[in-house]
Amino acid sequence: MAILTIEELAERLPPYQAIAGLDLGTKTIGLSVSDLGRRFATPRDVIRRVKFSIDAEALLSVAAKEKIAAFVIGLPVNMDGTEGPRCQATRAFVRNMGEKTDIPFVLWDERLSTVAAERALIEMDVSRKKRAERIDSAAASFILQGALDRLASLARDGTSDD
């Protein structure tokens, strides 16, 4: 398994395969999956964290079922650009996943993704209780949609040089 930049992923990614977005929390893993054309991120049920081996098995089960070609995982960088303990935990999770899968990971700056997800759920008039249940997957969708938009931009830039 490799940790790739979004640009490296754009070069290596086969067409018509889905990508998963992940929002790694201490209690849950928010999950989102793209369509095969990689235009839209759709939230999926969260994975309740138990311990790493069980979490990894659940994640890889989804990856096999959805035919996931890559994971985009939110990297919780501080607002000033520094990395704290949550970034270290995310990097450790990705390193440990590398021992279990060849599916590449992209680390994606997730600043304000949870805030944006919460605002979107509030605008949709989702109750506070339902928001708590959906926030992690909604954040994963924001993370993934940002990466999908960047991949689309890279594809457009690549075709304009021809």
Side-chain angles (χ1 to χ4, degrees):
M1 186 273 318
I3 297 174
L4 305 176
T5 65
I6 195 73
E7 293 79 10
E8 291 168 334
L9 181 65
E11 292 172 5
R12 297 181 190 187
L13 202 57
Y16 307 111
Q17 286 190 312
I19 300 173
L22 305 175
D23 181 42
L24 187 67
T26 55
K27 296 180 182 174
T28 62
I29 300 172
L31 180 64
S32 180
V33 175
S34 76
D35 61 305
L36 295 179
R38 296 193 289 262
R39 289 188 177 90
F40 306 105
T42 304
R44 296 290 199 265
D45 290 339
V46 297
I47 295 171
R48 302 265 173 228
R49 297 199 65 187
V50 182
K51 66 179 189 175
F52 176 76
S53 60
I54 295 170
D55 302 345
E57 189 176 302
L59 190 55
L60 293 176
S61 174
V62 171
K65 181 179 150 201
E66 300 274 358
K67 296 178 179 56
I68 299 299
F71 291 109
V72 176
I73 189 166
L75 189 65
V77 178
N78 295 324
M79 291 306 290
D80 65 0
T82 60
E83 293 189 9
R86 295 295 311 138
C87 280
Q88 292 171 353
T90 300
R91 288 182 186 280
F93 180 86
V94 171
R95 264 193 318 276
N96 291 333
M97 285 298 297
E99 297 172 10
K100 298 194 171 286
T101 184
D102 290 330
I103 300 172
F105 275 78
V106 172
L107 299 170
W108 190 259
D109 184 342
E110 69 162 38
R111 281 181 269 193
L112 300 178
S113 63
T114 302
V115 172
E118 177 117 33
R119 283 188 185 145
L121 292 171
I122 288 169
E123 286 175 15
M124 295 184 325
D125 203 26
V126 175
S127 72
R128 187 177 305 249
K129 182 181 178 198
K130 294 266 189 212
R131 277 198 313 267
E133 295 169 5
R134 297 180 184 171
I135 192 70
D136 294 323
S137 289
S141 284
F142 273 88
I143 291 163
L144 180 56
Q145 192 63 56
L148 294 174
D149 293 347
R150 179 66 180 138
L151 286 170
S153 172
L154 290 168
R156 282 191 304 274
D157 292 349
T159 57
S160 65
D161 291 342
D162 294 342

